[in-house]
Amino acid sequence: MQSAKLVSYLKAISKKKLFYVLAAVALCIAGIFFWKAQSQPAAAIEMIPLVRTAVVGAAGELKSYTYAGEVRGRYESQLAFQVAGKIIKRNVQLGSVVNAGDVLLEIDPKDLKQTVNSSSAQVRSAESQLKLTESNLQRYRQLYSQNAISQAQLDQYENAYEVAQAAVQQASAQYGQSSNQLDYSRLYADTSGVISSINAEAGQVVSAGQTVLTIVQNGEREVEISVPENRIEELRTALQLTISFWALPDLKVNGKVQEIAPMAASTTRTYQVRISLLNPPPEIKLGMTAAVSLTSAGNQNVNLTSIPLSAIYQTNDMPGVWVVTDHTAHLRPVQISGLDNNQMQVTGLLPGEIIITAGVHKLREGQKVRVSDGDRQ
């Protein structure tokens, strides 16, 4: 009985050991598979890059540019007093219409009047001295005719008379100058026009030659614009200039280049250009905001195309351009003909083709690319 129980116990222990062994083997096999799975590299996922593109345009196509400007007068006079003083009266306002001879500003004439009075007194004094020397000269001439005095004495009185005459002329000239100074206390309009700016107010002390206001003469009207230096030649050869006005949206006027500043402005580094308006209607007023649109012809060689400089991909001595066809990049060899305002003039491309303009050195032949909707034209 005891032996049968022992055999049964031993069989139970053998079954447990076999279970544990099989479980350990299964865990080892699972661990091996897991380790292999982790040690194998993940399949590379190809990323399709998003590229910046441009549509090729012919170099000979017409180009349009627009510049903002302001309506100005053809002739503008900056007026100033010829004497210094304190402004006591202003007779015009900004935009006032004036005629030639109108008094625009006045300065205090008190000191100038005193100068005139002093000059007048000097004239009277010189004239009295002249009368005295003239009387003495006449008496001494009679004495000389009677041989009562010598020639030397007569010469002295003749010389005194001439000095008195010169003194009268000097005093008269000073009186005339002071009278002119008094007249300069009023600033007159030298021509008919419109007051476009006022730089001084009543009560302000101004110096001689200081600009106090600007008058725009009646007549021609122009638009002043600022043009960068790389557009000057295109402006000179523009086929057409059209001026539109923000306040008059339905009005368009043709124009022509009147003058181009010989030097660029020191602050903006742009050139001031005056565009003359051809047959402007009367509703165009000074100071209006205008937009000058010009159409210029590019290179008339139809075999040339214009592309950005960043689109060129150089391989050894052969320049090329990445052309996008069916969302695939293909390298196209091109011939460079010149550089114009950061635009390459090349042959080998057709107008309307899509080229890649950024990151060209990171692409490979036949690579799939994505084109953003904003770059499609």
Side-chain angles (χ1 to χ4, degrees):
M1 189 67 182
Q2 292 292 335
S3 60
K5 290 181 178 181
L6 180 59
V7 171
S8 172
Y9 177 72
L10 292 174
K11 288 182 178 180
I13 292 175
S14 298
K15 289 181 179 180
K16 289 181 178 180
K17 287 182 177 181
L18 180 60
F19 174 75
Y20 288 134
V21 170
L22 293 176
V25 171
L27 289 174
C28 290
I29 294 173
I32 291 172
F33 279 108
F34 179 76
W35 176 80
K36 287 185 176 181
Q38 291 296 326
S39 61
Q40 290 180 354
I45 301 176
E46 183 180 3
M47 298 296 294
I48 301 178
L50 180 66
V51 295
R52 181 178 297 175
T53 61
V55 179
V56 176
E61 64 187 359
L62 298 179
K63 299 179 181 179
S64 298
Y65 303 98
T66 301
Y67 301 98
E70 179 186 356
V71 177
R72 306 287 294 271
R74 177 69 180 95
Y75 301 101
E76 299 180 357
S77 301
Q78 295 181 343
L79 304 184
F81 284 103
Q82 293 181 251
V83 293
K86 179 181 179 180
I87 298 176
I88 60 174
K89 191 174 183 181
R90 178 161 68 90
N91 301 324
V92 293
Q93 304 294 331
L94 192 64
S96 298
V97 178
V98 297
N99 298 316
D102 290 348
V103 179
L104 308 178
L105 296 171
E106 297 181 32
I107 62 175
D108 192 350
K110 292 180 181 178
D111 293 339
L112 299 174
K113 287 181 178 179
Q114 293 300 327
T115 302
V116 172
N117 294 334
S118 176
S119 299
S120 177
Q122 290 178 0
V123 170
R124 290 195 298 270
S125 175
E127 289 175 347
S128 298
Q129 187 65 28
L130 177 62
K131 289 180 180 179
L132 177 61
T133 56
E134 184 179 5
S135 297
N136 290 334
L137 179 59
Q138 290 177 357
R139 285 195 299 269
Y140 276 87
R141 280 177 176 174
Q142 291 177 359
L143 294 174
Y144 176 75
S145 64
Q146 299 172 2
N147 294 324
I149 62 172
S150 65
Q151 180 67 42
Q153 291 177 314
L154 179 61
D155 291 342
Q156 290 179 356
Y157 284 95
E158 288 180 346
N159 182 67
Y161 177 73
E162 292 176 356
V163 170
Q165 283 183 320
V168 170
Q169 293 177 355
Q170 181 181 8
S172 299
Q174 291 177 349
Y175 175 75
Q177 183 180 11
S178 60
S179 299
N180 292 337
Q181 298 287 321
L182 179 60
D183 188 57
Y184 294 155
S185 64
R186 292 185 174 186
L187 184 63
Y188 297 92
D190 56 354
T191 184
S192 300
V194 179
I195 304 298
S196 63
S197 68
I198 299 176
N199 304 321
E201 295 294 337
Q204 181 177 344
V205 177
V206 296
S207 59
Q210 177 183 344
T211 301
V212 292
L213 56 81
T214 302
I215 181 172
V216 179
Q217 299 182 22
N218 294 331
E220 299 181 36
R221 293 291 180 259
E222 296 178 345
V223 174
E224 184 178 76
I225 60 176
S226 298
V227 180
E229 58 187 66
N230 62 335
R231 301 294 185 192
I232 292 296
E233 291 304 320
E234 294 179 351
L235 186 67
R236 295 182 191 274
T237 60
L239 300 178
Q240 184 178 5
L241 294 176
T242 304
I243 298 94
S244 57
F245 304 89
W246 183 69
L248 304 170
D250 297 330
L251 178 64
K252 292 185 181 297
V253 179
N254 293 329
K256 67 176 182 178
V257 177
Q258 183 68 32
E259 62 181 25
I260 299 176
M263 293 184 61
S266 58
T267 54
T268 61
R269 304 310 305 166
T270 56
Y271 289 80
Q272 299 298 318
V273 178
R274 288 293 189 103
I275 307 298
S276 179
L277 302 180
L278 303 179
N279 300 321
E283 55 264 29
I284 297 178
K285 305 300 182 182
L286 294 171
M288 279 187 171
T289 303
V292 179
S293 301
L294 64 93
T295 302
S296 64
N299 195 317
Q300 298 303 314
N301 188 344
V302 296
N303 295 321
L304 288 177
T305 51
S306 179
I307 64 174
L309 179 61
S310 59
I312 298 296
Y313 177 75
Q314 188 78 20
T315 56
N316 297 327
D317 295 333
M318 178 60 69
V321 174
W322 292 102
V323 180
V324 178
T325 305
D326 295 331
H327 298 280
T328 304
H330 300 285
L331 186 61
R332 177 86 58 81
V334 295
Q335 295 291 332
I336 298 177
S337 298
L339 176 65
D340 180 22
N341 298 329
N342 291 327
Q343 294 285 319
M344 298 299 298
Q345 308 297 329
V346 301
T347 57
L349 296 174
L350 298 177
E353 288 187 315
I354 300 176
I355 61 174
I356 299 175
T357 60
V360 295
H361 295 282
K362 298 181 181 180
L363 301 173
R364 64 178 185 275
E365 178 64 29
Q367 183 177 358
K368 292 291 185 179
V369 294
R370 290 183 298 141
V371 179
S372 62
D373 294 336
D375 291 339
R376 295 174 184 173
Q377 299 183 8

